[in-house]
Amino acid sequence: MTDALSTTTKGHTSQPPVHIACIMDGNGRWAKRRGLPRTAGHTAGEEALAAVVRAAAQRNIGWLTVFGFSTENWVRPRAEVRHILGLHRKLFGRIDEMNQNNARINWIGRPFDEPGARTPVYVQRAIRKAMADTEHNTGLVVTVAFDYGSRAELVRAARACKDTDSPIDAETIDHKMYAPDLPPVDVLVRTSGETRISNFLLWQINGAAVYFTEKTWPDFDSDELDRALKLVRSN
Ligand code: IPE
Ligand code: IPE
Ligand code: MG
């Protein structure tokens, strides 16, 4: 390992990989404070996420799962929803960057063909392409929750359990989650001073430490990530 690398990773390479999950909240308030439209807050939030992915890759974080858009968020004004959809296309289009970070892109949410699922086809395409074009990477797994709701995920799992011969236990339910390979969350982050969990990974956050911060998501940076990591790492 080079000196430069050991400095930037602050000893994290010797630590086991962890799973950090973020409820990226406060984009609207970030914009309002600056006299900008809410859409500007979402744009800044997407850029903050790209920076957090780079920081996470340097810190030997195994899994970064982020709440991009919930099953409840569709009721927002149409122009805002359209803007957020465009930002997800941009996010899933950051393939060169993901490859440079040796990061794999994944997605969780209502399966595209399920009644009620609302992911538009152009976002579906961006998701499929991002997953295919980064699947060879062996480092950080970045999972974006889009059209995601934990209750919908659990209802689907419960229904799937009915059709299996396996005993209905925690292990079987684990296997029916949208991304069965995703390990339990080690640290759940929520930004913008809100101390709610909302509808995010309700099954997977069992035992997780929780990091609440007053910072709005566009201001969440590598120092904040380090503070969250301190809940599970000693250096
Ligand atoms: C989070 O920021 C982004 C999404 C939910 C898509 P918000 O848009 O909820 O920002 P606030 O909570 O209104 O400040
Ligand atoms: C949570 O933010 C969802 C996402 C970050 C995508 P919201 O701003 O929608 O959450 P609630 O409804 O206020 O809890
Ligand atoms: Mg909010």
Side-chain angles (χ1 to χ4, degrees):
M1 196 198 313
T2 66
D3 284 339
L5 184 62
S6 56
T7 310
T8 53
T9 56
K10 293 184 191 157
H12 291 300
T13 45
S14 56
Q15 304 259 17
V18 293
H19 183 182
I20 308 261
C22 301
I23 302 175
M24 308 185 289
D25 201 10
N27 293 350
R29 277 161 285 173
W30 180 94
K32 195 171 176 202
R33 256 180 239 150
R34 287 163 177 77
L36 297 170
R38 292 179 59 82
T39 47
H42 296 307
T43 300
E46 196 274 336
E47 279 158 19
L49 175 57
V52 168
V53 168
R54 284 192 291 277
Q58 288 168 353
R59 283 160 177 75
N60 198 31
I61 290 173
W63 300 268
L64 177 71
T65 304
V66 295
F67 208 177
F69 196 78
S70 75
T71 49
E72 287 73 37
N73 287 148
W74 294 104
V75 300
R76 291 191 179 203
R78 260 176 54 188
E80 183 179 348
V81 170
R82 204 177 310 125
H83 186 81
I84 294 171
L85 293 177
L87 285 172
H88 278 80
R89 169 155 61 183
K90 182 177 176 200
L91 172 64
F92 286 106
R94 290 182 183 265
I95 291 167
D96 289 346
E97 258 175 83
M98 292 290 167
N99 285 335
Q100 279 157 22
N101 290 316
N102 192 24
R104 198 143 49 86
I105 309 194
N106 206 355
W107 160 79
I108 50 173
R110 287 186 288 190
F112 303 144
D113 57 355
E114 199 170 90
R118 291 184 64 173
T119 304
V121 170
Y122 74 91
V123 178
Q124 295 180 21
R125 275 200 209 106
I127 290 172
R128 286 201 180 96
K129 180 163 172 30
M131 287 172 62
D133 290 358
T134 62
E135 71 180 352
H136 56 278
N137 291 329
T138 55
L140 176 68
V141 178
V142 179
T143 304
V144 180
F146 180 91
D147 192 24
Y148 175 85
S150 186
R151 288 165 68 90
E153 180 179 36
L154 285 165
V155 167
R156 179 171 168 272
R159 289 196 180 124
C161 281
K162 269 200 329 189
D163 303 328
T164 166
D165 293 332
S166 317
I168 301 178
D169 55 16
E171 200 187 330
T172 306
I173 294 171
D174 267 339
H175 284 112
K176 304 296 181 194
M177 294 286 118
Y178 292 145
D181 293 338
L182 213 53
V185 174
D186 295 296
V187 186
L188 174 71
V189 171
R190 183 160 191 160
T191 57
S192 81
E194 302 296 346
T195 50
R196 296 188 294 283
I197 305 296
S198 296
N199 191 8
F200 193 46
L201 303 177
L202 300 175
W203 176 263
Q204 298 88 337
I205 58 171
N206 176 40
V210 185
Y211 180 72
F212 292 120
T213 172
E214 292 296 323
K215 290 229 171 156
T216 52
W217 177 259
D219 287 330
F220 190 90
D221 56 15
S222 58
D223 290 339
E224 281 288 306
L225 185 65
D226 283 333
R227 278 182 213 116
L229 265 179
K230 273 215 175 94
L231 296 179
V232 286
R233 279 183 178 170
S234 49
N235 65 346

